[in-house]
Every structure is written in structure tokens, then in C-alpha cells.
């Protein structure tokens, strides 16, 4: 059994790694390879292209890198022709993966799409691509599954994989020791994203807000988990320029979440992760002007945070674009640090997200679906 993965971002690398490990438990001899990152490599996936410097965000950035992506897609097609996998598993990264899926189908290689394009938010035309060029669509949300089924996709829901993976791996005391920070002191988690453009836009603003928070809560501590796609030197450069002491964590972000009083997080999967870890969180979203202008026209949501979309109401505060200022961040986060009642209210709101996502065991079920799909194709 040969399974090829196409993953383009740090969050997808995590999902791909957990899925690969689950597939291996069912079929130990399975040959797994493809585009991915360090976590997938550690899970036993043979990496044919490392995604460390791949992440981009925004229309402008994507346009500038079109020649690069065309060459990368052609390279992966060459790999497909040589390896002839039983299936291509595309994980998220729709701008690239949907085009790759079209090419794979031309080669006669079945396609499974895992973590689907958000047609319920914007660009509903992507739904037709999923219908036309994928053999199976695996959804993360029940409402999303219904939407895809309505437009003719073979879509299934097996639960959300983060229910299996979002948990601390070590005791709090060990995390405090490794991070070199003081227990029982207010700690703010900063997560500026896994793409360099995100970090460059958001991290300086977060650090400016951190400096102001210090004047209100003198003993407050700041920590930042380094995404595998971001060089440590990049984070250190911004931290040094700010003059704010920030500890960089190299181990599990979930371990850092469990000791955090509050979090300031770039929009994306990380906001769902902090919600599942019950950390009061402020979502921040900032892209280039062109991307934001297009988003205002195309996006059909009042909230962009996954926890808010799942719950159907805004349980996590959001700051968008021009709202992302040091003072607005301070105004939102300070009550969580100084008022125990507000902090507990927000923690309880976050805890409701896990219950809304249903049963754990999703990764095991998704792996079984993929293995069964491949075996059925092999019998034809």
C-alpha cells in the first residue's frame, strides 16, 4: 500500500503526522511519502519536499510566488508518475492542493481530500473542484459535511482530529522548569502564526502590547512556541528589538498552553487548539490591504475564528486588520489577567467547544476510512 501526502503548512504537518501514525498502526508495512515537514518525517513519512520555507499568506504573496508553485507542482507530479501511489491524500492548503488534485486525476491516481476548503466561508466554487476531482472528502465538522453532500461530493465526517491530539504531554511543573519561568505568575501565550508573513505583521504588534501589559501587571510573563516553519533567529530578532523578555519554547505548544493565563493568537487552527486547552484567547487577523479588501467582498461570516463558527456565536474576541493595535490588544486581554471572574467565564466558554465537536477517536476512524478506500480500489 503506497500513500502519498501533500501538506503545505505547519498545522497540516501535524495533522499529517498523526494520520500517518494511525495508518501505520493498521497497516505497518504501508509506504508513506510526500510533501510535508518535520513532524511527518518523525512519524515515518518519507519527505520528498520539505515545507519549512513554503508558507505564504495573502493574495499579493501568492502572486509573487506563482512560478515557484508551478515548478513545485510539476515536481510532485513527476514524483507521482514515478512512484504510482494508490492514493494521493491532500491535507488542507487548498490553493495548491486543489490544482494538484486535478493533475493527479488526469494521471489516474485517486484523490482523498482531508481538511476541506471552507466553502461555507468563501469561494464556494472550490466545492465544485472537490466534487469533480476528488474521490473522497473527509470533513472536520458535521455542518460542513452536509454542505459538501448537498453539492454532490462524496463527503464523510469522522470527528475532529484535534480532540485526539490537543493535550499536554508533561506536568506543569516540568514545563515551568524547562521554560525557566515562575509558577503562579500570570503568563501570556503569544502565537503569531506559522508563516513568516504572519509573524512579521503580527509579532511586533503583540510585543508592543506585551510592553504595555507590563505596566499594568508588572510580574506578567510572556512565552511563544516556535512553529517549525519559523527560524528561531526570526523570533529572537523581534524580541530583542522590543526589549520585552519573552521565552521561546521548542517543545509542544500544548504544554505551553496549559500554563497560560491568556493567549493572543493569529487566526487559524491555533485558535481552536487554545480553545480545546481552555485558554482565554484573543484572535488577531492582519493581512495585506489587497487580501483584506477581497476578503471583505468574498467572506460571508461575521466571525472568522473556528471556535466562534463552531459555536454559532462569538465566544472568542476577534480583532481584524486596523483593529490590531497594541492598545486594542491590551484593552481586550487585561481584564482576563486582572479579573478572576472574567477569566473563569472565558475559560468555561472555551471548554464548550470540545463538547460541540463530539467524540474523540477521530484520527483512528479517518485512518481506517483511508485504508479501506485503498483496499477497495486495489480490488477493482
Amino acid at each position: 500500500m503506497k500513500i502519498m501526502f501533500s501538506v503545505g503548512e505547519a498545522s497540516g504537518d501535524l495533522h499529517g503526522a498523526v494520520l500517518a501514525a494511525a495508518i501505520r498502526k493498521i497497516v505497518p508495512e504501508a509506504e508513506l511519502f510526500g510533501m510535508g515537514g518535520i513532524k511527518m518525517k518523525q512519524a515515518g513519512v518519507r519527505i520528498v519536499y520539505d515545507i519549512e520555507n513554503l508558507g505564504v499568506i495573502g493574495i499579493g504573496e501568492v502572486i509573487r510566488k506563482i512560478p515557484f508553485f508551478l515548478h513545485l507542482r510539476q515536481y510532485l507530479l513527476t514524483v507521482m508518475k514515478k512512484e504510482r501511489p494508490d492514493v494521493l491524500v491532500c491535507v488542507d492548503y487548498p490553493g495548491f492542493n486543489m490544482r494538484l488534485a486535478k493533475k493527479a486525476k488526469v494521471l489516474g491516481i485517486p484523490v482523498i481530500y482531508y481538511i476541506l476548503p471552507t466553502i461555507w466561508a468563501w469561494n464556494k466554487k472550490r466545492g465544485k473542484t472537490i466534487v469533480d476531482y476528488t474521490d473522497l472528502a473527509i470533513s472536520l465538522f458535521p455542518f460542513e459535511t452536509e454542505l459538501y453532500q448537498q453539492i454532490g461530493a462524496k463527503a464523510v465526517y469522522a470527528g475532529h482530529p484535534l480532540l485526539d491530539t490537543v493535550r499536554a504531554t508533561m506536568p506543569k511543573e516540568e514545563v515551568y522548569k524547562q521554560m525557566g519561568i515562575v509558577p503562579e505568575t500570570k503568563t501570556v501565550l503569544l502565537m503569531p502564526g506559522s508563516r513568516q508573513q504572519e509573524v512579521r505583521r503580527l509579532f511586533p504588534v503583540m510585543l508592543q502590547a506585551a510592553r504595555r501589559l507590563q505596566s499594568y501587571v508588572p510580574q506578567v510573563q510572556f512565552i511563544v512556541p516556535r512553529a517549525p516553519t519559523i527560524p528561531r533567529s526570526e523570533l529572537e530578532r523581534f524580541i530583542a528589538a522590543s526589549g520585552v523578555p519573552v521565552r521561546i519554547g521548542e517543545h509542544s505548544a500544548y504544554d505551553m498552553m496549559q500554563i497560560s493565563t491568556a493567549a493572543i493568537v493569529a487566526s487559524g487552527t491555533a485558535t481552536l487548539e487554545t480553545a480545546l486547552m481552555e485558554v482565554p484567547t484573543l484572535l488577531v487577523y492582519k493581512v495585506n490591504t489587497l487580501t483584506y479588501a477581497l476578503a471583505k467582498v468574498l467572506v460571508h461570516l461575521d466571525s472568522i475564528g473556528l471556535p466562534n463558527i463552531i459555536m454559532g456565536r462569538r465566544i472568542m474576541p476577534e480583532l481584524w486588520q486596523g483593529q490590531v493595535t497594541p492598545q486594542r490588544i491590551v484593552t481586550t486581554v487585561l481584564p482576563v489577567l486582572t479579573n478572576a471572574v472574567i477569566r473563569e467565564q472565558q475559560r468555561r466558554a472555551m471548554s464548550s467547544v470540545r463538547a460541540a465537536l463530539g467524540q474523540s477517536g477521530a484520527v483512528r476512524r479517518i485512518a481506517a476510512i483511508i485504508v479501506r478506500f485503498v483496499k477497495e480500489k486495489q480490488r477493482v
Side-chain angles (χ1 to χ4, degrees):
M1 181 179 293
K2 294 180 71 172
I3 298 175
M4 180 174 176
F5 290 87
S6 179
V7 167
E9 299 173 290
S11 59
D13 185 40
L14 174 61
H15 287 297
V18 175
L19 179 57
I23 291 172
R24 273 270 164 74
K25 286 184 179 180
I26 302 172
V27 186
E29 70 276 14
E31 184 179 348
L32 311 177
F33 66 97
M35 181 168 73
I38 184 63
K39 292 185 183 299
M40 289 175 65
K41 183 177 181 180
Q42 291 170 345
V45 178
R46 173 164 54 91
I47 301 300
V48 300
Y49 185 85
D50 195 308
I51 65 170
E52 182 176 0
N53 297 312
L54 191 59
V56 298
I57 186 171
I59 302 298
E61 291 88 344
V62 170
I63 290 173
R64 284 191 292 273
K65 294 196 75 172
I66 283 176
F68 166 80
F69 284 116
L70 290 174
H71 282 99
L72 176 58
R73 187 176 68 198
Q74 190 57 47
Y75 167 69
L76 293 178
L77 288 172
T78 301
V79 171
M80 264 188 261
K81 291 176 183 178
K82 178 183 176 182
E83 299 279 356
R84 299 304 303 182
D86 294 303
V87 67
L88 170 67
V89 178
C90 295
V91 182
D92 201 1
Y93 211 51
F96 182 87
N97 273 335
M98 288 194 301
R99 291 175 175 84
L100 186 66
K102 292 181 181 181
K103 298 294 184 180
K105 290 293 288 183
V106 172
L107 294 177
I109 295 171
V111 177
I112 294 177
Y113 211 110
Y114 175 46
I115 308 182
L116 295 164
T118 53
I119 60 170
W120 36 269
W122 71 327
N123 206 343
K124 291 179 171 58
K125 291 181 180 178
R126 287 178 166 178
K128 187 176 187 306
T129 301
I130 297 297
V131 173
D132 292 342
Y133 297 100
T134 69
D135 298 87
L136 183 64
I138 302 176
S139 174
L140 298 187
F141 310 104
F143 73 87
E144 181 182 67
T145 307
E146 293 177 8
L147 286 174
Y148 270 100
Q149 289 173 343
Q150 287 170 7
I151 63 173
K154 186 178 179 182
V156 296
Y157 174 70
H160 202 293
L162 287 182
L163 293 173
D164 298 313
T165 58
V166 176
R167 61 174 62 88
T169 62
M170 63 178 73
K172 287 184 178 182
E173 295 73 18
E174 184 63 25
V175 184
Y176 284 123
K177 183 178 178 181
Q178 286 197 15
M179 293 297 298
I181 58 178
V182 181
E184 308 306 326
T185 300
K186 301 294 189 302
T187 302
V188 177
L189 180 72
L190 306 177
M191 297 188 72
S194 61
R195 304 179 182 98
Q196 290 194 8
Q197 289 89 350
E198 282 181 308
V199 172
R200 290 167 185 168
R201 284 197 183 95
L202 292 174
F203 201 31
V205 184
M206 290 182 178
L207 291 169
Q208 291 173 44
R211 175 172 288 282
R212 296 190 185 192
L213 283 169
Q214 284 180 316
S215 64
Y216 294 101
V217 188
Q219 301 303 313
V220 68
Q221 304 170 116
F222 300 95
I223 57 178
V224 57
R226 185 182 72 83
T229 48
I230 303 299
R232 185 183 180 95
S233 59
E234 181 90 345
L235 298 177
E236 290 175 335
R237 179 168 63 87
F238 287 116
I239 293 169
S242 73
V244 179
V246 181
R247 301 282 185 174
I248 301 174
E250 296 286 353
H251 47 72
S252 169
Y254 305 143
D255 291 321
M256 299 172 68
M257 290 177 192
Q258 74 164 328
I259 64 168
S260 299
T261 314
I264 306 168
V265 182
S267 175
T269 304
T271 59
L272 182 54
E273 293 171 325
T274 55
L276 292 175
M277 288 297 292
E278 301 183 4
V279 183
T281 300
L282 166 63
L283 177 154
V284 290
Y285 171 77
K286 191 172 186 179
V287 292
N288 69 36
T289 304
L290 172 60
T291 301
Y292 186 68
L294 289 173
K296 286 183 68 177
V297 174
L298 297 173
V299 175
H300 310 292
L301 296 173
D302 295 324
S303 297
I304 58 175
L306 286 171
N308 296 333
I309 294 168
I310 290 166
M311 298 307 298
R313 58 191 176 90
R314 188 169 286 195
I315 63 169
M316 178 181 289
E318 300 182 4
L319 295 179
W320 298 8
Q321 206 68 359
Q323 298 174 337
V324 183
T325 66
Q327 190 54 50
R328 292 290 292 269
I329 292 173
V330 169
T331 300
T332 307
V333 174
L334 186 59
V336 177
L337 299 179
T338 57
N339 189 313
V341 174
I342 292 175
R343 186 161 60 249
E344 179 59 18
Q345 287 174 343
Q346 291 202 21
R347 188 200 65 77
R348 288 182 179 178
M350 296 301 102
S351 70
S352 64
V353 176
R354 181 176 288 273
L357 287 176
Q359 297 292 319
S360 60
V363 175
R364 182 180 67 252
R365 292 190 292 271
I366 292 165
I369 288 170
I370 292 173
V371 169
R372 184 166 62 249
F373 174 91
V374 173
K375 288 183 176 179
E376 289 175 355
K377 288 291 182 181
Q378 288 175 334
R379 283 197 292 266
V380 174

